[in-house]
């Protein structure tokens, strides 16, 4: 497994999260000032310098539960609140979208172009906030510095690590189903036509060489697909045409973000196993989360700011129904961290645990869900 996978996984999933939140903020007609604040706060937190420094250190991927915990905190970094059902749906959409993009990448290296597409879109969200733009550009430069020199084999290992992470996730997404790129069992349909990877040739020709390396024979064959050679390679620079469209925003106000939970008994069993089986890496994962979440700086809403609840479903009734009908095996439970077991970590973990306490404020006269969720204090 590649120790360089985590930054790409985090940034791409984070980009998908922002696409979905932006769509729902517009669909629910959240006032522009509030919507901008939510997006700015989340992006500021996501690209926090200390957080990025910890993220870019070479390290193995951690479980879905551990990463889900980070996104849960990240989604609540502002004045917006998501309940459990909406957070589950948000995470399902994020993971299935990026899984689809990884599967369809023409070359393993193109995962970097997918990441750049996400970052380009994030910069559009904050184009009027120069200080936040600088944070994103700094992460861009780190990506270019670290990943531009990796070999094709190292990118293949990164892609394989991502596919192993996603292999048991088969959530049906309405956009994919309507576009006929996903089957009813949640598995994706891979195309047999379109552009071939940059630097390769259209299939249909077999060349044979002798022991001296000289070409001695050519044989042509027909293919069922309609393949074309790409006109140019996507740009791996800070600015430029990425050419590849994977990783761009596929949501709009008129195209709701719907999901349908589906899975075979095998995939459900794998989720159940992850949820109930003690993880031998649990201690390392909690230390990872301690370092990672400890690098976040959250600005708590002021007393004059009112929070709001964002619903990823069309109605409150749909959301409540989803919470009741979601299979137990697919629910992400709260991770309880025992900070007193490791004397060397006790003080640091205790400090972070204290910051993760949910402080609910419910002023008299406010409607359901209009309270603030303070999940972490700034360092």
């Amino acid at each position: 497994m590649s120790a360089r996978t985590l930054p790409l996984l985090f940034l791409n999933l984070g980009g998908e999260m922002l696409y979905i939140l932006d769509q729902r903020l517009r669909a629910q007609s959240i006032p522009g000032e509030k919507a901008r604040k939510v997006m700015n706060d989340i992006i500021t937190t996501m690209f926090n310098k200390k957080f990025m420094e910890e993220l870019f250190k070479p390290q193995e991927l951690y479980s879905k539960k551990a990463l889900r915990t980070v996104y849960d905190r990240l989604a609540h970094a502002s004045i917006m609140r998501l309940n459990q059902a909406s957070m589950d749906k948000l995470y399902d959409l994020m993971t299935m979208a990026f899984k689809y993009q990884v599967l369809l990448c023409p070359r393993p290296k193109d995962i970097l172009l997918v990441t750049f597409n996400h970052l380009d879109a994030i910069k559009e969200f904050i184009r009027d906030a120069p200080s936040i733009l600088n944070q994103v550009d700094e992460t861009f430069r780190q990506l270019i510095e670290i990943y531009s020199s990796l070999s094709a084999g190292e990118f293949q290992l990164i892609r394989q690590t991502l596919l192993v992470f996603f292999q048991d996730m088969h959530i049906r997404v309405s956009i994919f189903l309507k576009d006929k790129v996903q089957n009813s069992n949640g598995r994706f349909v891979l195309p047999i036509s379109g552009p071939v990877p940059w630097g390769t040739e259209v299939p249909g020709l077999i060349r044979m060489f002798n022991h001296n390396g000289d070409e001695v024979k050519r044989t042509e064959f027909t293919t069922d697909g309609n393949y074309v050679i790409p006109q140019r390679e996507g740009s791996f620079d800070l600015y430029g045409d990425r050419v590849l469209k994977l990783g761009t925003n596929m949501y709009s106000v008129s195209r709701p973000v719907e999901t349908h939970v589906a899975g075979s008994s095998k995939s459900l069993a794998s989720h159940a196993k992850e949820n109930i089986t003690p993880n031998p890496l649990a201690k390392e994962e909690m230390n990872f989360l301690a370092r990672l979440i400890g690098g976040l700086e959250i600005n708590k809403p002021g007393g004059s700011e009112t929070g709001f609840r964002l619903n990823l479903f069309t109605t409150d009734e749909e959301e409540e129904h989803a919470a009741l009908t979601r299979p137990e095996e697919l629910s992400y439970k709260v991770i309880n961290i025992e900070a007193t077991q490791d004397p060397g970590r006790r003080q640091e973990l205790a400090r972070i645990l204290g910051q993760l306490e949910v402080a609910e404020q419910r002023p008299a006269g406010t409607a359901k869900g209009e309270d603030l969720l303070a999940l972490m204090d700034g360092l």
Side-chain angles (χ1 to χ4, degrees):
M1 298 293 102
S2 172
R4 288 292 187 189
T5 308
L6 185 60
L8 300 181
L9 178 63
F10 175 80
L11 292 170
N12 284 289
L13 288 180
E16 289 299 321
M17 179 179 76
L18 291 167
Y19 290 163
I20 297 161
L21 293 179
D22 172 67
Q23 190 272 343
R24 293 312 300 162
L25 288 166
R26 288 184 284 117
Q28 287 186 217
S29 301
I30 301 299
E33 188 176 337
K34 277 191 174 182
R36 281 190 297 274
K37 175 173 175 53
V38 168
M39 297 295 282
N40 286 358
D41 286 350
I42 292 175
I43 294 169
T44 299
T45 304
M46 182 175 169
F47 291 92
N48 171 272
K49 185 177 180 181
K50 293 180 182 177
F51 188 63
M52 286 292 115
E53 286 174 358
E54 203 63 52
L55 188 74
F56 274 89
K57 291 178 181 177
Q59 55 196 300
E60 295 298 321
L61 277 192
Y62 292 85
S63 71
K64 297 176 183 69
K65 272 190 176 183
L67 285 174
R68 161 63 192 264
T69 301
V70 175
Y71 287 109
D72 194 277
R73 310 311 176 198
L74 190 59
H76 294 98
S78 188
I79 58 175
M80 177 189 70
R81 176 177 181 171
L82 295 170
N83 73 11
Q84 183 65 35
S86 283
M87 190 65 217
D88 284 341
K89 180 174 181 177
L90 175 62
Y91 193 69
D92 288 344
L93 287 164
M94 291 158 51
T95 51
M96 292 306 291
F98 186 43
K99 177 181 180 178
Y100 177 69
Q101 292 156 14
V102 173
L103 283 170
L104 261 66
C105 271
R107 303 172 300 174
K109 184 181 181 181
D110 290 333
I111 292 171
L112 197 53
L113 290 178
V114 174
T115 310
F116 287 175
N117 274 335
H118 281 116
L119 294 188
D120 288 340
I122 289 171
K123 288 171 67 173
E124 277 298 304
F125 289 140
I126 50 161
R127 59 182 178 274
D128 297 325
S131 61
I132 312 176
L133 268 172
N134 288 337
Q135 288 180 250
V136 180
D137 280 342
E138 181 57 34
T139 300
F140 238 125
R141 293 185 186 96
Q142 282 184 276
L143 284 168
I144 293 169
E145 180 183 346
I146 293 171
Y147 290 91
S148 61
S149 61
L150 295 188
S151 67
E154 288 171 308
F155 274 111
Q156 172 60 20
L157 190 57
I158 288 173
R159 182 177 185 271
Q160 196 64 33
T161 305
L162 288 169
L163 291 176
V164 169
F165 179 84
F166 289 127
Q167 67 180 350
D168 293 322
M169 304 185 74
H170 306 295
I171 309 299
R172 293 185 295 171
V173 179
S174 61
I175 287 179
F176 294 141
L177 292 168
K178 289 173 184 175
D179 290 345
K180 301 188 185 302
V181 298
Q182 189 180 32
N183 290 324
S184 59
N185 62 2
R187 297 182 184 275
F188 289 115
V189 179
L190 301 182
I192 58 169
S193 297
V196 296
W198 176 259
T200 64
E201 298 179 10
V202 171
L205 178 66
I206 299 173
R207 294 187 182 92
M208 281 159 275
F209 300 84
N210 61 21
H211 64 280
N212 293 322
D214 301 320
E215 183 179 326
V216 295
K217 186 179 179 182
R218 288 190 175 197
T219 304
E220 293 186 356
F221 64 94
T222 57
T223 62
D224 293 332
N226 182 24
Y227 299 100
V228 295
I229 296 176
Q231 294 183 344
R232 62 189 180 281
E233 185 180 24
S235 171
F236 288 90
D237 297 325
L238 185 60
Y239 304 100
D241 183 2
R242 313 300 175 193
V243 179
L244 193 71
K245 299 304 178 187
L246 295 172
T248 55
N249 195 344
M250 64 178 176
Y251 302 106
S252 65
V253 176
S254 60
R255 208 172 191 194
V257 286
E258 301 169 2
T259 57
H260 308 279
V261 177
S264 64
S265 58
K266 181 179 178 182
S267 68
L268 290 178
S270 69
H271 279 279
K273 183 178 180 181
E274 181 179 353
N275 279 343
I276 64 176
T277 305
N279 189 340
L281 292 176
K283 180 180 175 183
E284 288 76 7
E285 288 184 351
M286 294 307 102
N287 288 341
F288 156 73
L289 281 176
R291 295 195 311 275
L292 209 55
I293 298 174
L296 290 174
E297 292 180 2
I298 308 295
N299 294 320
K300 285 188 174 182
S304 61
E305 293 175 323
T306 57
F308 64 93
R309 183 172 66 89
L310 191 71
N311 188 350
L312 264 74
F313 297 81
T314 308
T315 64
D316 287 349
E317 289 73 21
E318 274 188 44
E319 187 177 44
E320 291 168 3
H321 178 72
L324 293 173
T325 58
R326 185 176 179 86
E328 185 72 15
E329 297 86 351
L330 297 183
S331 293
Y332 296 90
K333 301 300 183 183
V334 175
I335 299 175
N336 294 315
I337 307 174
E338 179 53 65
T340 59
Q341 294 298 320
D342 184 351
R345 277 286 185 183
R346 186 178 304 160
Q347 187 174 356
E348 175 70 3
L349 285 174
R351 177 184 69 81
I352 294 166
L353 281 169
Q355 292 174 348
L356 296 184
E357 290 298 323
V358 176
E360 292 193 356
Q361 301 173 3
R362 193 175 292 276
T366 58
K368 172 189 173 185
E370 290 187 351
D371 53 352
L372 304 181
L373 190 60
L375 290 166
M376 288 176 285
D377 295 322
L379 292 179

